[in-house]
């Protein structure tokens, strides 16, 4: 991950571990009165992030996290998803479109409806991880990959 890909934010002490992934859910009502609000709210709501580095162990008061928050570097986390195989070329950039697949299988559901990505997002295919065998999915053959 490049330096320009990282952002500085604050995160609760319980989540402040290198490699920890989380979905940023946006501002809580308690955040309005916080003097560090702008540093925390610089992430995009609904996106998946990963903690890259804990900058300091200085504990900051937080109205949301009982045990306070630390300053950390975060980056957008890799997303594992399923797409039509015809779009799965490693290194290519695509406009993400959630494939159609109705399934009761939770693992398959998570691949076809991954958290942290939205229809229309520009994504670079980092790794093609293999075919998905499912008769519950219509259209083209599906593959599991990482953005």
């Amino acid at each position: 991950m490049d330096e320009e890909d990282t952002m500085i934010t604050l995160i609760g002490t319980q989540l402040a571990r290198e490699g920890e992934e989380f979905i940023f859910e946006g501002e809580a009502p308690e955040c309005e009165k916080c003097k560090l609000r702008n540093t925390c709210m610089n992430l995009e709501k609904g996106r998946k992030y990963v903690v890259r580095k804990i900058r300091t162990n200085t504990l900051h008061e937080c109205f949301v996290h009982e045990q306070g928050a630390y300053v950390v570097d975060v980056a957008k986390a890799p997303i594992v998803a399923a797409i039509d195989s015809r779009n799965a070329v490693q290194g290519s950039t695509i406009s993400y479109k959630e494939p159609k697949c109705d399934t009761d299988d939770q693992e398959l559901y998570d691949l076809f409806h991954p958290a942290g990505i939205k229809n229309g997002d520009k994504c670079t295919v980092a790794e093609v991880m293999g075919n998905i065998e499912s008769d519950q999915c219509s259209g083209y053959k599906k593959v599991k990959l990482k953005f």
Side-chain angles (χ1 to χ4, degrees):
M1 202 56 50
D2 295 337
E3 284 293 316
E4 57 257 5
D5 291 339
T6 62
M7 295 158 275
I8 298 171
T9 192
L10 284 103
I11 193 165
T13 57
Q14 300 297 320
L15 297 171
R17 291 183 301 279
E18 289 182 17
E20 182 74 21
E21 294 182 356
F22 64 96
I23 303 286
F24 181 66
E25 296 295 340
E27 186 173 331
E30 298 87 350
C31 298
E32 279 203 30
K33 57 189 173 200
C34 181
K35 65 183 178 188
L36 298 173
R37 178 178 171 268
N38 289 339
T39 304
C40 281
M41 297 302 136
N42 62 343
L43 304 180
E44 189 178 343
K45 185 177 179 179
R47 293 285 181 206
K48 186 176 183 183
Y49 294 92
V50 60
V51 176
R52 292 284 183 219
K53 179 177 139 187
I54 299 166
R55 289 196 149 232
T56 137
N57 60 359
T58 301
L59 188 62
H60 295 276
E61 181 183 14
C62 180
F63 301 114
V64 174
H65 299 280
E66 283 182 21
Q67 297 174 353
Y70 292 135
V71 176
V72 296
D73 288 344
V74 300
K76 287 184 179 174
I79 307 250
V80 176
I83 66 168
D84 288 332
S85 62
R86 61 191 170 131
N87 295 324
V89 177
Q90 189 165 332
S92 66
T93 300
I94 65 165
S95 180
Y96 179 74
K97 183 173 192 281
E98 191 174 276
K100 292 181 178 20
C101 186
D102 296 321
T103 180
D104 294 331
D105 180 309
Q106 188 61 48
E107 187 176 337
L108 271 181
Y109 182 87
D110 290 345
L111 285 173
F112 284 89
H113 307 282
I117 191 169
K118 303 170 191 167
N119 279 329
D121 284 351
K122 298 289 183 214
C123 304
T124 301
V125 177
E127 177 184 356
V128 179
M129 303 167 77
N131 294 329
I132 296 173
E133 303 299 327
S134 175
D135 55 359
Q136 299 173 335
C137 305
S138 61
Y140 293 91
K141 185 168 82 174
K142 308 297 189 270
V143 294
K144 179 179 177 180
L145 53 75
K146 188 182 292 186
F147 290 118

